[in-house]
Amino acid sequence: MKENFTAETKSFKELFMSDSIYIIPPYQRDYSWNNENSEWEDLWNDITSADTKHYVGFIVLKEREDDKLIEVIDGQQRLATIVLIILSTLNLLKDYIANNKDINKDAENRRLQLLKSDYIGREDSISLTFYNKLKLNKINDPFFQYLCQSKTENDHLCFSGKKAKSNKLLELAFNYFRKKVNAAIPMIDGENISKFLEKITQKLFFTVLYVNTDANAYTLFETLNARGMKLAAVDLLKNFLYSKVSLNLEHLDAMQNHWQEISTHIKEGDLNKFIRTDWGSRNDLVEDRRLYNVISKKISNDKSAFAYVKDLKESSIYFSLLQNPQDAYWKQSGFNQDICQYLDNLQQLQIKQIYGVLIAYLKKIGSNNFHTLVKWAENISFRFNTISSLDAKEQEKIYNEIAIKISTGEITGLNDIKKYLKKVYVKQEDFLLKFSKVEIKRTATIKYILNKLNQQMGGPSLNLNDYTVEHILSQNRNNDWTTFSEPEDFIWRLGNLTLLEKNTNEDLDNKIFIQKKEIYQKDINPITNSLAAFDNWNETAIDKRQNSLTDFAKIIWRISELEE
């Protein structure tokens, strides 16, 4: 491992006072830090802490053949934000020079140029082109370059190019740190600004990891991830795909556009999961840590790279649609009218293990009986995962087998799938036994179950946003509940739970059962008004009610076709 990468500790000043130019590869995501996640504030607190030195984490770099050009494999968000802090500080110095007549402007302008040359970049003497020490990706770099060269406080507002969301974040960060720096420096002048920049650039330290190939970077990512340090290894896959087409600029641009489309469909945090799901819809499953190596071995040239990314793009559309049940796509002719509700139920139960099957089915078979497959997926997962808590790995293997057979054409319809789904369909007697004793603590799952039971009992389908979960034996009970020897064992039993409209639930907090019962019996929903049949609320009553609910469950979540 030592021969594949080197590690050393460096301050920000040591990194940027060199002649190196740090390049964010085109596959890296746009600038995304913001203050909603406290990233700007956290970094600012690190800078202004009393420590003389502050460790801000690791960055992963890859040197190119031209040893002055260094790719930032990981750490680009931190580096870009620190440069923005320096830029905002230099912007204050520009305003100080412009607005004060009684200073030596030549000396202060020289100071400004020296600081800019140290940390931001320089102008080439031949081409008179300004070169940044940090070059961002295709989306962000034009605005970032403009920001680096703006001369006064509001110059950056005059940028004429398209300002993407990430560029707006760059602008917001610039303004945020300008205010922070202005408040932090007691008196704004050239000397104090220089001292401030000297202090922060020497104070911030990184562990710098240098790798010589993308493959080594991925191996390093595996090691770091195993130690709890999260790194976006999916970025390496993008880089690998780009490298396969990089000799042709038109091909590179096309590849970037394909990946950009994928990014519009898939949330950043879901990319790894999506890529693994897509791969498993056509190929044997692989562990996350091996995914890059396995995929990259299948892609040998630009043709296979494009074939893969186009397939990935098509899958990304379906992956996104599966997570958006109200999309107009599902209302097209060909899909059963209940499909939106079935997909919404998958969302409520957080069922994603079967996405590979669903994507393969939509790509190869289409809408025919798709609603039935989704309904079966809901019921199977509810029985297997939610109630029985069985081994999800075995379930995933079955789903992977189905998806591959659909993709290869061996499975051509729903009937062909039944024999495989039977392997993960929990037998009725086992399911009912588990259901009769189950405890559920996730609110969305509780609401889903109680709503389904309410409908089976003759009630309406509810807008669950208007309802809260009511614990009949209260979580915050007083000492009047004396009929329970171990009340904590019954708080989350399904038999102890019901649904109430939000304002009603607030009024019942801490009341005893006889008082709650008066409210329950007036409720329009049978899941709740049926509680009026109980004279007392104790352990026996909870068992009796849960057994009663189990009788409804045997109908709701049964798939008779898989019991044949």
Side-chain angles (χ1 to χ4, degrees), residues 354 372-384 395 398-399 402 413-429 557-564:
I354 200 166
T372 303
L373 177 60
V374 176
K375 178 62 178 173
W376 287 2
E378 173 193 340
N379 289 1
I380 288 170
S381 294
F382 181 76
R383 298 166 76 99
F384 192 99
Q395 183 187 44
I398 300 299
Y399 288 161
I402 296 170
L414 193 63
N415 282 333
D416 298 335
I417 297 177
K418 287 198 297 187
K419 68 178 181 180
Y420 300 99
L421 292 182
K422 285 180 180 180
K423 299 176 184 179
V424 287
Y425 180 74
V426 177
K427 291 180 180 179
Q428 188 79 325
E429 60 182 294
W557 289 285
R558 183 186 180 197
I559 305 174
S560 58
E561 295 91 336
L562 300 186
E563 296 176 356
E564 297 169 353

Side-chain angles (χ1 to χ4, degrees), residues 24 80 133 147 156 179 230 247 346 505:
I24 308 299
K133 286 180 177 283
L147 200 61
H156 61 284
K179 290 177 182 177
K230 293 184 179 178
L247 295 179
L346 294 189
N505 199 9

